[in-house]
Amino acid sequence: MKFTCAQSELNDHLAIAAKATSSRPTRPILSYILVVADAATQAVTLTGFDEAIAIATSFTAQVEDSGTICLPAKLWGDIVSRLPKQAVTLAMGGGAMDAFFTVAMTTGKISYDVRGLSPEDYPALPTVEGEPIAIAALSLLQGLKGALPSVSDDESKQVLMGVHLLGGSDAIEFAATDGHRLSVLQSESDTAAESLEVTVPGQALRHLEAMLRTHDAIEPVKVYLDDVQVRFELGARRLIARLLEGQYPNYRKLLPKDFLHQARVDRRVFIVSLERISVLAATKSNIIKIAVASEAIALSVDASEIGSGLEQLPATVQGDAIDIAFNATYLLDGLRAIESAEVELLMNTPVSPAVLRPAQGFAPLGTEPRYLIMPVQIRS
Amino acid sequence: MKFTCAQSELNDHLAIAAKATSSRPTRPILSYILVVADAATQAVTLTGFDEAIAIATSFTAQVEDSGTICLPAKLWGDIVSRLPKQAVTLAMGGGAMDAFFTVAMTTGKISYDVRGLSPEDYPALPTVEGEPIAIAALSLLQGLKGALPSVSDDESKQVLMGVHLLGGSDAIEFAATDGHRLSVLQSESDTAAESLEVTVPGQALRHLEAMLRTHDAIEPVKVYLDDVQVRFELGARRLIARLLEGQYPNYRKLLPKDFLHQARVDRRVFIVSLERISVLAATKSNIIKIAVASEAIALSVDASEIGSGLEQLPATVQGDAIDIAFNATYLLDGLRAIESAEVELLMNTPVSPAVLRPAQGFAPLGTEPRYLIMPVQIRS
């Protein structure tokens, strides 16, 4: 194996593949990256695989000799990221049996030997074939950005640790809930997706989100499915993940149809005020009270032993006044996931689910991104 | 107490005073800031004091009513730092006995009440009077920046946890050593300082360094001394610290007069190469080898089980070739503390002290900043 490429290219792709390597591997090789250099296609492919998620990514290089090796993701990545931004040559070690799985990396007067492992020991990647569903990268990114904050991190609720994807004739619905809040939003798909109804682990989708953010190709993302796995293909990058098993909760019945109280506020102002009052809320189980009046909403926290805070925000309000309380963190997560300049907070009673959404002129709930949040019951 | 000031001014001064408050106080009040507002001088003074170090800082404000209170440094600072950049008014609470030591902080439609403590319980600050020594802020900053990296953090070596200041007729010498390396440098003083021979705790001087970095006054810093304390006065900011007791080691005798081997290299290139090869050195007790040849120095690490690295740097060399080894962290600390474009590494044998300094054309050791570093003995 011998190839030359730009340091920046090697560094970027190595960082992507490394996301799917394990820092506490059950077997040492799961913390390694599989490197495959192909002289015929003049391409290098890097693969990371922790037995739950696999990420493979390819880039163009001057490949002199084809070859393959496994290199330690952390150590190799730490060195590559510090190399000067210029061409770097990687060559597999010489004749001695012992040195065979060593790579010599040279650029200018800098040279590093990195010990690797035989690619024969690298686990086989799962394959997922068939007819793909196509979705624009931006649509997929918006779906993930909206849903991921509501994914549960409670390992005892397996199926809630994922995002539920539900396909239709021209759209995909993304949903996630941890029991305290629920994100539901729809993104257009480029092909029909009626067959799609899966729950994909949040961790895999967080990697996918990071890959999409640095993905600038115009071609849509292809989604391949079988009964147990999903494969996302973004140009020369692929992510494969095992699906979560189990019945996803029937979240649609949680979304109220009508609301008695609606308030429209500037999203940025709402976020900044919440972040500030959270300093006090942190001492009170993170609970903030919201008093909705005719032309303003007032956020307040009363932590009598240390102090209290009151933030008044101008608002356009429909319906009567209402006092309600929320977990500040859940409210902030929802506000940060929404992308509009103004948001609407839709409420019924202090003990029934409220909904945050991009401002829709107080129209009934539709297919816009909806972030349902359970109020916190407080004694008055 | 009632005053109005700019949020940015309050925030900056609060952050300075908070450095001298304790996050794990032996008495609760040591985590509070003493606030004194004076209508006569139209100034507000904030003081932090953890019984070892005191920092007081004053700024101009529209003071309507004089008054004083203690406010919790962390909570108060967390709120102030998140307030919008506009005028903010602080007023002590109303008539109720219980609310007396509460401050109401308002700006626009934002209002926070913060519970405080009586200023009567705040410990008295030590006083240090007499004739001050004057030193330009920049000279003091350079002295601290050069010496602080060598201060010991070993609590069993009390006197080594400080910087030794030794005055002369027109200069102050700064020295610090932890037994592995020694920093010695001189800065001009504006007044004679023959009486000065003290060891000031590194922690206090780190705070002073931070204060100097944001200090833009032209007037020199005044240094007041007595047998047990030192007070630094930078305009309206003051830092008072207890001196370290004990005989400071006679470090001057450690500095060699002559050197058999001298190498001049680009400081930036040296730092970048060391940072890169430290990735491997971290697995080998942080030790790197340096081979000085006729026109280059070569940094190398051989961690055979995981890999090896070699970095060749162009150098101007005087004397024969030599192989020597250092702790990479100590070398990096020294290189980062030096401010010149080129540095010289002066050596005698692989087991005797070497010196790093700004390039001096291979002249004998003088009063330039000197960073002595003990080599690490390795088996060849």
Side-chain angles (χ1 to χ4, degrees):
Chain A
M1 186 187 86
K2 185 173 181 185
F3 67 87
T4 299
C5 64
Q7 178 270 349
S8 59
E9 190 113 72
L10 178 60
N11 187 47
D12 292 351
H13 288 268
L14 204 165
I16 292 168
K19 284 182 190 296
T21 57
S22 175
S23 55
R24 288 179 192 168
T26 49
R27 290 187 289 146
I29 203 156
L30 301 181
S31 66
Y32 280 61
I33 284 176
L34 177 69
V35 185
V36 178
D38 185 346
T41 58
Q42 291 289 297
V44 172
T45 302
L46 307 180
T47 303
F49 183 33
D50 65 4
E51 286 190 319
I53 301 167
I55 296 176
T57 177
S58 302
F59 58 97
T60 306
Q62 285 172 265
V63 182
E64 212 169 296
D65 298 321
S66 294
T68 173
I69 189 174
C70 296
L71 292 175
K74 173 91 176 71
L75 180 80
W76 185 38
D78 282 350
I79 297 170
V80 167
S81 67
R82 287 167 176 80
L83 290 175
K85 294 192 191 319
Q86 60 195 35
V88 53
T89 300
L90 281 83
M92 203 122 96
M97 196 57 186
D98 176 57
F100 195 72
F101 292 114
T102 296
V103 157
M105 192 156 58
T106 51
T107 175
K109 300 218 159 180
I110 303 165
S111 78
Y112 283 84
D113 286 350
V114 179
R115 279 273 206 136
L117 292 175
S118 166
E120 283 176 21
D121 301 328
Y122 202 78
L125 254 61
T127 53
V128 195
E129 302 298 339
E131 202 55 45
I133 295 161
I135 178 168
L138 195 64
S139 296
L140 182 55
L141 183 57
Q142 281 172 342
L144 296 181
K145 197 189 161 209
L148 281 170
S150 292
V151 167
S152 173
D153 54 10
D154 181 347
E155 306 226 342
S156 71
K157 299 176 184 169
Q158 268 294 322
V159 81
L160 298 190
M161 292 184 77
V163 173
H164 192 66
L165 305 183
L166 183 64
S169 59
D170 58 358
I172 296 174
E173 184 165 280
F174 295 74
T177 179
D178 63 1
H180 304 289
R181 62 268 182 73
L182 161 70
S183 295
V184 186
L185 63 167
Q186 273 161 26
S187 283
E188 270 180 41
S189 63
D190 290 10
T191 57
E194 276 102 344
S195 62
L196 182 69
E197 186 172 2
V198 294
T199 309
V200 185
Q203 191 51 42
L205 294 178
R206 278 183 206 104
H207 294 330
L208 184 64
E209 192 191 13
M211 288 162 73
L212 285 165
R213 284 186 195 279
T214 57
H215 175 70
D216 49 10
I218 292 163
E219 50 174 337
V221 175
K222 292 183 191 138
V223 186
Y224 297 83
L225 283 166
D226 63 23
D227 287 346
V228 290
Q229 288 162 137
V230 60
R231 172 156 66 101
F232 296 91
E233 208 172 284
L234 308 71
R237 306 177 183 181
R238 279 166 297 150
L239 181 144
I240 304 171
R242 206 172 294 163
L243 298 172
L244 292 180
E245 288 173 32
Q247 181 67 34
Y248 201 79
N250 179 8
Y251 56 86
R252 286 189 178 181
K253 72 173 200 299
L254 297 174
L255 289 163
K257 297 251 178 316
D258 307 301
F259 295 94
L260 297 169
H261 312 271
Q262 315 198 29
R264 185 160 65 237
V265 289
D266 183 280
R267 188 175 69 95
R268 240 1 277 164
V269 170
F270 203 170
I271 289 176
V272 170
S273 295
L274 266 172
E275 286 173 339
R276 195 161 42 224
I277 207 162
S278 288
V279 173
L280 282 173
T283 66
K284 298 283 284 183
S285 317
N286 245 345
I287 297 165
I288 59 121
K289 287 189 236 179
I290 299 186
V292 179
S294 58
E295 291 183 333
I297 68 169
L299 315 182
S300 65
V301 169
D302 187 0
S304 51
E305 36 335 326
I306 59 161
S308 61
L310 176 67
E311 301 257 354
Q312 302 210 55
L313 285 64
T316 307
V317 175
Q318 219 170 59
D320 295 334
I322 180 176
D323 288 344
I324 192 167
F326 295 103
N327 179 305
T329 306
Y330 295 162
L331 214 43
L332 274 170
D333 283 348
L335 287 167
R336 288 188 185 124
I338 292 171
E339 289 186 335
S340 63
E342 288 192 311
V343 293
E344 285 171 5
L345 179 61
L346 317 177
M347 298 150 285
N348 277 316
T349 75
V351 294
S352 51
V355 169
L356 264 179
R357 65 172 181 182
Q360 306 284 323
F362 299 138
L365 272 200
T367 57
E368 73 278 4
R370 286 140 291 162
Y371 182 85
L372 181 142
I373 174 170
M374 283 306 296
V376 180
Q377 212 175 337
I378 48 167
R379 276 172 289 179
S380 54
Chain B
M1 186 188 86
K2 184 172 182 187
F3 66 89
T4 299
C5 64
Q7 177 271 347
S8 59
E9 191 112 71
L10 178 60
N11 188 47
D12 292 351
H13 288 267
L14 204 165
I16 292 169
K19 285 183 190 294
T21 57
S22 174
S23 54
R24 288 181 193 167
T26 49
R27 289 187 289 145
I29 204 156
L30 301 181
S31 65
Y32 281 61
I33 285 176
L34 177 69
V35 185
V36 178
D38 186 346
T41 58
Q42 291 288 295
V44 172
T45 302
L46 306 180
T47 303
F49 183 33
D50 65 2
E51 286 190 319
I53 302 167
I55 296 176
T57 176
S58 303
F59 58 97
T60 305
Q62 286 172 263
V63 182
E64 212 168 298
D65 298 321
S66 294
T68 172
I69 189 174
C70 297
L71 292 175
K74 173 91 175 73
L75 180 80
W76 185 37
D78 282 350
I79 297 171
V80 167
S81 68
R82 287 166 176 81
L83 290 175
K85 294 193 192 317
Q86 59 195 35
V88 52
T89 299
L90 280 83
M92 204 122 94
M97 194 57 186
D98 176 57
F100 196 73
F101 292 114
T102 295
V103 157
M105 192 157 58
T106 51
T107 174
K109 300 219 160 179
I110 303 165
S111 79
Y112 283 84
D113 285 349
V114 180
R115 279 273 206 135
L117 292 174
S118 166
E120 283 176 21
D121 302 328
Y122 202 78
L125 253 60
T127 53
V128 194
E129 303 298 340
E131 203 53 47
I133 296 161
I135 177 169
L138 195 65
S139 296
L140 182 55
L141 183 57
Q142 281 172 342
L144 296 181
K145 196 188 162 210
L148 280 169
S150 293
V151 167
S152 173
D153 54 11
D154 181 347
E155 306 227 342
S156 70
K157 299 177 184 170
Q158 268 294 324
V159 80
L160 298 190
M161 292 183 76
V163 173
H164 193 65
L165 305 183
L166 184 64
S169 59
D170 58 359
I172 296 175
E173 184 164 280
F174 295 75
T177 179
D178 64 1
H180 305 289
R181 63 270 182 69
L182 160 71
S183 295
V184 185
L185 63 167
Q186 274 161 27
S187 283
E188 270 180 41
S189 62
D190 290 10
T191 56
E194 277 103 343
S195 62
L196 181 69
E197 186 171 0
V198 294
T199 309
V200 185
Q203 192 51 42
L205 295 178
R206 279 184 206 104
H207 294 330
L208 184 64
E209 192 191 13
M211 288 161 74
L212 285 165
R213 283 185 195 280
T214 58
H215 175 70
D216 47 12
I218 291 164
E219 49 176 337
V221 175
K222 292 183 191 138
V223 186
Y224 297 81
L225 282 166
D226 64 21
D227 287 348
V228 291
Q229 287 163 137
V230 60
R231 171 155 68 99
F232 295 91
E233 209 172 284
L234 309 68
R237 306 178 184 180
R238 279 165 296 150
L239 181 144
I240 304 171
R242 204 173 297 162
L243 299 171
L244 292 179
E245 288 172 32
Q247 181 68 34
Y248 202 79
N250 178 8
Y251 57 85
R252 286 190 178 180
K253 71 173 202 293
L254 297 174
L255 289 163
K257 296 249 178 318
D258 308 299
F259 296 93
L260 296 169
H261 313 271
Q262 315 198 31
R264 184 160 66 238
V265 289
D266 183 280
R267 187 174 70 96
R268 241 1 276 167
V269 170
F270 203 170
I271 289 176
V272 171
S273 296
L274 266 173
E275 286 173 338
R276 196 160 41 222
I277 207 159
S278 287
V279 173
L280 282 173
T283 66
K284 297 283 282 184
S285 317
N286 246 344
I287 297 164
I288 58 122
K289 287 190 235 177
I290 299 186
V292 179
S294 58
E295 290 182 332
I297 69 169
L299 315 182
S300 66
V301 169
D302 187 0
S304 51
E305 39 328 330
I306 58 161
S308 61
L310 177 66
E311 301 256 354
Q312 303 211 54
L313 285 66
T316 308
V317 175
Q318 219 171 59
D320 296 334
I322 179 175
D323 289 342
I324 192 166
F326 295 102
N327 179 305
T329 306
Y330 295 161
L331 215 42
L332 274 170
D333 282 348
L335 287 167
R336 289 188 184 123
I338 292 171
E339 288 186 336
S340 63
E342 287 193 313
V343 293
E344 285 171 5
L345 180 61
L346 317 177
M347 298 150 285
N348 277 316
T349 77
V351 293
S352 51
V355 170
L356 265 179
R357 65 172 182 182
Q360 306 284 323
F362 299 137
L365 272 199
T367 58
E368 73 279 3
R370 286 140 290 162
Y371 182 84
L372 181 142
I373 174 169
M374 282 306 295
V376 180
Q377 211 174 339
I378 48 166
R379 277 172 289 180
S380 55

